[in-house]
Amino acid sequence: MSKKWQLVNYTFHAMGSPCHVQFYASSKKLAQQAKRNLNECLANLEQRYSRYRDDSLISVINRGAGLGKATPIDSETAALLVYAQQCYQESEGLFDVTSGILRRIWSMDKTTLPSDDEINKLLPLIGWDKVQWTDKSVYLPLAGMQLDFGGLVKEYAADSVVQRLQSLGVVSGIVELGGDIKIIGPQPNGQGWPVAIRDPRQPDKVIIKLTLASGSLASSGDYERFQIIDGVRYSHLLNPKTGKPVTGLRAVSILSEHCVVAGSLATLAMLKGDQGLFWLQENQLPFFCCQNDGQIYKQLEIN
Amino acid sequence: MSKKTLIGRLSLAALALPGVMQQVEAGRAEESYNTDVQYAHYEESGGRMKVDIAEVSAAIPIGKAYTLALDFVSDTISGASPMYNAKNSQGQVEQILSGASITEQRYAGTASLSYAFDDVSVSFGGGVSSEHDYLSNYINAGLSWDLNKKLTTLNFSASVAFDEISPTGQSYTKNKTSQQYLLGVTQIIDKNSLFQSNMTFSANNGFLSDPYKSVYVEPAVGARFGQILDDSRPDNKFQWAWLTRYVRHFKALNKAALHADYRLYVDDWGVTANMVELSWFQPIADEWQIIPRFRYYTQDQANFYSAVFDSATVGTTYSSDYRLAGFGALGGGVKLTKNFQMNGLIKDIKLQAAFDYYDRKASYQIGGHNEGTFADYNFYMVTASVNVKF
């Protein structure tokens, strides 16, 4: 590659997380165009899928719950629902995009544990199998039900951003959105990009370094968002069947071609709780994980 | 990645996401050269016809929006073909085939340059095709326009060809000019089906006869010998063809697809033809695909066609070419393809083998006929080809 290729280093905040994108551009114009496209792509996804925005499509769907009228959806949303359905089936109901409602009682600013009564009141409102959807519309049949793509959208956004940049002609770069990584293409010298996985208990400490020339790495763990009540650490990952936080693994990272796949598999492994490690091994996933006792296991081919 | 593994199944599901699957974009995702090399052999039973085709084509991206496409073909055709018809001693019409089998070598080269705007792409091109007795030069221009979020595509194209015919064994050279215009629309109906309709208008003028065909004129009353005249057709021909295609995918049947084609053809020589073709594309496993197909064709004869002519009524235009007769044909067969995807220098290898049966009978024509069975024939065809993409 000729000298005029320059590294663009772009840090910003999106999807509720710090993000870092690096790529090589052949001109200033391309660099500007790429940043603009990237912002547009992320803004577009946030605009539709953020549950923090009242005007998002997700909020419209959730407000319509139990009101008897389905919300029309576009083909991208329909494809996400198809993907969510696949995750639900593969996980025998553990990965459920309607389980976000549990956050109401497990929110991080609470200082006491919710009672069983509180949990039992919410459980009937959870269940992907209750959702009525087609490729044109979606309807949540019970008032109070909620759809939440939180476990998918950030990872999917990484895939989408990479696709956008590639379509502009960017061939070398790395996209990191809040710890979820997707490679655009190897560095101009042919080498992969260095990627580090941190210790889930000491975020300053790197426990493994990888070089990735292609594909994605996504992680899930109790370090991302958690609460400590009476000295016990409660993960933000909640089991839709029990209504309680999962325990078993501290953190899981998965390698896969697509970030959305890596991300959903990592979340799924966390949701498997004590069975997580066995499940990762059984399915022969390329993973790196840290169990609750601090033990580290991996099944990665590291270059 | 295998569909059998968890990661494989989820990856497959993720491919339906627009941000994951590489979308067809107006610009290009990567600038890559595509080169195809293809060799095909076609053979009809009974030694009637053999064709060998070798082809090289390349698509070369230039900048962001231009693509230069080059194509070179060499084919060899050998076989015997009918020359004219005559009556035998029992008074029945028989086909007289050219004695020795003919071998024709043809070379053709084409080049075209296309430019892609956001929703419109335009192309200009030209080519040459050369045989020892035939030279054709042509130029064309095309425009393709995506509308309605790329669910609808309109196609327009125009071409002009200038041909020069110097028949073997003759001292003359004749010329022919053809213009062709195409109007087409492709409509994606839903994610599983599409509809396509193309209309083609052609105007030909000049020497449109076949210099290797003759007609037999029966002896006049009292004369001993009949006459053999060179095939003689009008100097103008206007043709109109309308092809309608419906494609439907069946996801549940391992992504099988049905292609249904109907073609109507009318020309001002009096030929009207109808064709129906059905093909079923069935992927099996490991990139094997089996394609059974069926076709029915029927046409009316040209105004100046006759199997043999009568000296009292023969006019200035006459032909006994079996292709201008009234007839019907049934065809059916099966094609097997296998793809090998690779990551190295060679990107993809495709092997194809097809076996077809073709049965042409005057009696298959819709609306009856009085031709007799002399031009009826049936044969098997085998085709094998290998295509390598770089």
Side-chain angles (χ1 to χ4, degrees):
Chain A
M1 239 173 263
S2 71
K3 272 186 207 151
K4 60 179 183 170
W5 285 83
Q6 48 179 283
L7 181 66
V8 179
N9 220 321
Y10 187 34
T11 50
F12 55 97
H13 198 89
M15 308 245 150
S17 313
C19 303
H20 188 190
V21 174
Q22 294 177 73
F23 61 93
Y24 281 87
S26 56
S27 66
K28 271 218 169 94
K29 196 180 147 209
L30 176 63
Q32 289 305 324
Q33 201 186 4
K35 281 189 189 175
R36 206 169 49 238
N37 267 268
L38 184 158
N39 288 329
E40 209 178 87
C41 177
L42 291 173
N44 185 358
L45 288 171
E46 242 179 322
Q47 157 70 36
R48 285 190 298 157
Y49 303 124
S50 169
R51 61 172 191 274
Y52 301 110
R53 296 181 63 140
D54 282 345
D55 61 344
S56 72
L57 175 62
I58 281 291
S59 295
V60 173
I61 292 169
N62 291 342
R63 274 201 299 274
L67 295 181
K69 197 169 161 289
T71 307
I73 54 173
D74 60 313
S75 59
E76 186 169 33
T77 307
L80 278 166
L81 291 177
V82 172
Y83 186 76
Q85 153 90 10
Q86 183 82 15
C87 291
Y88 179 81
Q89 280 174 353
E90 295 289 355
S91 65
E92 283 146 1
L94 270 183
F95 191 110
D96 191 325
V97 285
T98 63
S99 63
I101 192 173
L102 286 167
R103 261 192 304 267
R104 204 187 285 168
I105 50 171
W106 288 101
S107 77
M108 280 177 275
D109 47 19
K110 291 266 171 80
T111 49
T112 54
L113 292 178
S115 68
D116 284 354
D117 265 7
E118 281 180 283
I119 295 172
N120 290 336
K121 246 188 250 168
L122 288 186
L123 287 181
L125 297 177
I126 298 171
W128 169 251
D129 50 342
K130 299 185 181 95
V131 178
Q132 296 166 14
W133 61 287
T134 66
D135 57 348
K136 301 275 187 305
S137 70
V138 63
Y139 175 59
L140 305 171
L142 302 173
M145 275 187 89
Q146 280 184 13
L147 208 57
D148 179 5
F149 286 156
L152 293 174
V153 164
K154 187 156 62 78
E155 294 84 350
Y156 174 57
D159 288 318
S160 305
V161 163
V162 167
Q163 192 194 70
R164 272 284 186 111
L165 296 184
Q166 283 174 337
S167 76
L168 292 174
V170 177
V171 292
S172 166
I174 176 169
V175 169
E176 188 231 307
L177 306 180
D180 294 323
I181 290 161
K182 171 129 180 169
I183 305 296
I184 302 169
Q187 301 195 56
N189 60 11
Q191 304 260 304
W193 295 85
V195 169
I197 298 176
R198 296 176 199 286
D199 184 324
R201 290 290 176 270
Q202 305 170 62
D204 316 337
K205 201 180 139 204
V206 167
I207 43 177
I208 188 170
K209 278 185 184 164
L210 312 171
T211 11
L212 291 183
S214 68
S216 306
L217 179 81
S219 306
S220 184
D222 65 4
Y223 57 91
E224 293 172 80
R225 287 188 291 273
F226 61 89
Q227 51 181 332
I228 294 175
I229 296 171
D230 297 337
V232 181
R233 187 183 183 101
Y234 292 95
S235 160
H236 77 293
L237 287 151
L238 300 158
N239 182 320
K241 295 177 179 175
T242 62
K244 291 178 179 169
V246 293
T247 52
L249 297 176
R250 279 182 190 169
V252 184
S253 299
I254 304 264
L255 276 175
S256 169
E257 188 185 346
H258 311 302
C259 199
V260 67
V261 174
S264 42
L265 287 171
T267 302
L268 198 41
M270 288 296 294
L271 290 170
K272 288 276 176 184
D274 296 335
Q275 294 300 305
L277 177 62
F278 172 73
W279 179 83
L280 286 163
Q281 288 168 334
E282 184 191 41
N283 281 294
Q284 299 179 337
L285 298 170
F287 74 89
F288 181 92
C289 85
C290 182
Q291 271 205 310
N292 241 351
D293 55 10
Q295 279 275 46
I296 286 168
Y297 297 86
K298 64 184 182 215
Q299 193 164 281
L300 289 181
E301 275 176 43
I302 298 161
N303 348 332
Chain B
M1 230 174 280
S2 159
K3 271 164 76 177
K4 293 185 191 88
T5 65
L6 173 65
I7 199 164
R9 287 192 301 268
L10 282 180
S11 300
L12 201 68
L15 288 181
L17 293 164
V20 169
M21 181 185 64
Q22 200 64 48
Q23 302 283 295
V24 182
E25 304 244 355
R28 62 181 111 242
E30 52 177 316
E31 298 206 359
S32 65
Y33 293 75
N34 278 311
T35 314
D36 274 50
V37 178
Q38 175 158 310
Y39 176 80
H41 177 81
Y42 163 88
E43 192 165 338
E44 294 176 2
S45 61
R48 193 180 170 102
M49 185 80 83
K50 258 190 221 178
V51 185
D52 283 281
I53 304 164
E55 184 170 6
V56 182
S57 58
I60 302 158
I62 302 171
K64 275 259 161 249
Y66 284 101
T67 303
L68 176 67
L70 299 172
D71 186 77
F72 181 77
V73 186
S74 159
D75 51 38
T76 312
I77 301 174
S78 58
S81 63
M83 282 173 72
Y84 65 97
N85 309 310
K87 284 192 179 167
N88 63 16
S89 51
Q90 279 87 44
Q92 289 164 330
V93 181
E94 277 182 353
Q95 267 183 345
I96 311 296
L97 297 182
S98 65
S101 75
I102 45 159
T103 298
E104 292 277 350
Q105 181 81 41
R106 185 179 77 98
Y107 300 101
T110 62
S112 80
L113 185 67
S114 59
Y115 182 85
F117 298 93
D118 278 351
D119 294 321
V120 174
S121 75
V122 289
S123 68
F124 298 94
V128 161
S129 165
S130 163
E131 291 162 68
H132 76 279
D133 57 351
Y134 206 102
L135 180 70
S136 176
N137 293 295
Y138 76 90
I139 50 169
N140 64 1
L143 187 149
S144 162
W145 186 8
D146 291 323
L147 297 167
N148 194 7
K149 290 183 183 166
K150 302 205 176 190
L151 294 178
T152 309
T153 305
L154 297 180
N155 285 302
F156 308 92
S157 78
S159 67
V160 192
F162 305 94
D163 298 355
E164 206 175 271
I165 305 126
S166 320
T168 314
Q170 305 284 352
S171 53
Y172 62 79
T173 294
K174 303 266 191 179
N175 294 296
K176 169 184 156 190
T177 309
S178 319
Q179 302 168 53
Q180 193 172 74
Y181 304 93
L182 177 138
L183 266 176
V185 59
T186 302
Q187 175 68 45
I188 295 173
I189 302 167
D190 56 38
K191 64 181 196 252
N192 291 320
S193 53
L194 73 82
F195 168 85
Q196 192 175 13
S197 188
N198 283 346
M199 218 174 261
T200 319
F201 306 87
S202 316
N204 307 281
N205 54 71
F207 183 72
L208 305 178
S209 304
D210 185 330
Y212 300 108
K213 300 232 181 277
S214 307
V215 303
Y216 179 72
V217 184
E218 290 197 86
V221 182
R224 269 187 75 190
F225 299 107
Q227 257 184 303
I228 292 176
L229 302 176
D230 287 343
D231 180 87
S232 167
R233 306 180 190 186
D235 291 339
N236 289 293
K237 185 183 194 179
F238 183 79
Q239 295 163 289
W240 178 73
W242 183 23
L243 173 75
T244 301
R245 164 172 289 177
Y246 175 73
V247 177
R248 187 176 165 85
H249 292 271
F250 296 86
K251 249 193 198 161
L253 301 171
N254 199 15
K255 295 187 181 159
L258 170 75
H259 287 213
D261 292 1
Y262 169 70
R263 184 172 180 268
L264 172 65
Y265 169 90
V266 179
D267 68 30
D268 64 353
W269 285 1
V271 176
T272 301
N274 287 274
M275 194 271 292
V276 179
E277 185 167 341
L278 297 171
S279 316
W280 181 263
F281 291 72
Q282 181 64 57
I284 310 167
D286 296 327
E287 306 218 50
W288 280 94
Q289 186 165 236
I290 188 162
I291 307 154
R293 51 192 177 183
F294 167 80
R295 171 204 269 242
Y296 173 67
Y297 179 89
T298 174
Q299 82 168 37
D300 297 339
Q301 66 171 45
N303 300 331
F304 52 88
Y305 170 86
S306 182
V308 291
F309 287 85
D310 187 88
S311 60
T313 55
V314 65
T316 52
T317 55
Y318 34 80
S319 179
S320 298
D321 187 340
Y322 68 103
R323 290 166 296 189
L324 297 176
F327 68 94
L330 283 171
V334 63
K335 184 154 106 174
L336 200 60
T337 72
K338 162 80 178 159
N339 240 39
F340 300 90
Q341 300 242 5
M342 286 170 223
N343 292 322
L345 171 70
I346 294 177
K347 284 183 205 148
D348 185 89
I349 297 180
K350 187 174 195 173
L351 301 178
Q352 296 196 41
F355 177 84
D356 288 276
Y357 177 70
Y358 179 84
D359 187 17
R360 171 196 156 118
K361 276 197 170 69
S363 61
Y364 287 163
Q365 185 195 340
I366 286 180
H369 71 98
N370 51 7
E371 264 286 294
T373 57
F374 67 94
D376 290 355
Y377 61 89
N378 55 61
F379 57 86
Y380 299 104
M381 305 169 250
V382 288
T383 314
S385 73
V386 51
N387 178 299
V388 182
K389 276 191 203 309
F390 295 93

